[in-house]
Amino acid sequence: MEHGAPEVTLSLGSLPIVFNLSTVLTLLVTAAIVFLIAFISTRNLKLKPTGMQNFMEWVMDFVKGIIKSNMDWKTGGRFHVLGITLIMFIAVANLLGLPFSGIYIHGDLWWKSPTADPVVTLTLASMVTVLATFYGIKLHGLGHYAKTFVQPKAFLLPLKIIEEFANTLTLGLRLYGNIYAGEILLGLLAGLASSTIFGFIGAIIPTMAWLGFSIFIGFIQAFVFTMLTMVYISHKVSEDH
């Protein structure tokens, strides 16, 4: 389906900066949902957790397990809140476009999962790379960090530099590709359902099946992104790297 994007362009000197209003909107909604989940889950803490508090404690333990599988807790504990934020934010962002996918106003697509935008996923991946580099230098010093690029052999330096960019690209594009492809297929099924009564009947079962699969993929991709984030950080901060 051909459609445009609601965009606004701001000028920073001679440099134009384009904002996709749909992406900005859904990012704000995602952040608000994650904040509300965290707020409600921690509002009335009890020694014996129930309901949302039980869910939040499960998420905390789950992320703690991810971190401990990649590095010792003494080092990795400082990334616990980061991991919780990432997995919740990305999970909500991945699922946000499913209930109302394909809302168009004057030919512009206004509602989609923000992670179906490569700018968002590559920005997240770049932030992870910068954060991993920062902590690698902070914990071991600039000299030790620079030395890792020429270990075990100095001729590997170009490959190590390429690896840094490749990790960022694959981390961001993997998330984008999975979510974008899912929303494209949902859009095609919605178009089939709205075409004729026979198309509607024929699209019911595939749409329901794909919705269920998309929910599964949304959670899996949030887990994968968080896991790989901790892997990359571990490579920078662990003593044995």
Side-chain angles (χ1 to χ4, degrees):
M1 180 183 295
E2 293 294 331
H3 60 79
E7 296 179 344
V8 60
T9 302
L10 301 178
S11 296
L12 184 62
S14 59
L15 179 65
I17 302 177
V18 179
F19 291 92
N20 187 321
L21 298 182
S22 171
T23 300
V24 173
L25 171 65
T26 49
L27 281 174
L28 291 174
V29 172
T30 300
I33 292 174
V34 172
F35 173 80
L36 286 174
I37 292 174
F39 177 77
I40 294 172
S41 302
T42 57
R43 186 176 53 178
N44 295 311
L45 297 179
K46 301 176 181 178
L47 291 177
K48 186 175 181 180
T50 58
M52 290 295 292
Q53 182 184 342
N54 194 46
F55 165 76
M56 181 59 68
E57 291 195 9
W58 176 83
V59 172
M60 293 174 67
D61 289 339
F62 183 74
V63 174
K64 185 176 182 179
I66 293 175
I67 296 172
K68 292 177 72 173
S69 68
N70 289 285
M71 65 191 101
D72 65 279
W73 184 246
K74 182 179 179 181
T75 301
R78 71 193 72 206
F79 307 114
H80 195 202
V81 174
L82 170 66
I84 294 170
T85 303
L86 275 178
I87 200 168
M88 291 182 62
F89 183 85
I90 294 175
V92 173
N94 290 348
L95 303 179
L96 195 65
L98 297 181
F100 310 107
S101 181
I103 295 180
Y104 297 88
I105 300 177
H106 302 303
D108 291 335
L109 178 61
W110 272 92
W111 193 264
K112 63 178 182 179
S113 295
T115 42
D117 187 334
V119 175
V120 173
T121 58
L122 288 173
T123 299
L124 286 171
S126 298
M127 290 171 60
V128 168
T129 301
V130 170
L131 190 64
T133 301
F134 169 78
Y135 273 100
I137 295 173
K138 179 181 179 180
L139 296 181
H140 301 300
L142 181 59
H144 179 276
Y145 176 77
K147 192 189 301 183
T148 61
F149 282 85
V150 293
Q151 291 178 338
K153 298 293 182 180
F155 70 83
L156 293 175
L157 175 61
L159 294 179
K160 294 277 189 174
I161 295 174
I162 292 173
E163 182 184 24
E164 292 291 311
F165 290 100
N167 286 340
T168 303
L169 284 174
T170 55
L171 184 62
L173 293 180
R174 179 189 293 107
L175 177 59
Y176 159 69
N178 280 278
I179 304 306
Y180 180 73
E183 294 203 352
I184 287 293
L185 186 51
L186 280 178
L188 293 174
L189 289 171
L192 175 63
S194 61
S195 58
T196 63
I197 184 63
F198 298 105
F200 176 79
I201 296 173
I204 291 177
I205 294 179
T207 300
M208 296 300 294
W210 190 254
L211 274 173
F213 184 69
S214 294
I215 293 172
F216 172 74
I217 290 296
F219 285 117
I220 288 296
Q221 287 304 312
F223 163 73
V224 169
F225 193 99
T226 306
M227 171 66 80
L228 291 178
T229 294
M230 296 308 160
V231 170
Y232 295 157
I233 292 177
S234 174
H235 288 169
K236 301 293 186 183
V237 303
S238 295
E239 293 288 348
D240 57 344
H241 287 90

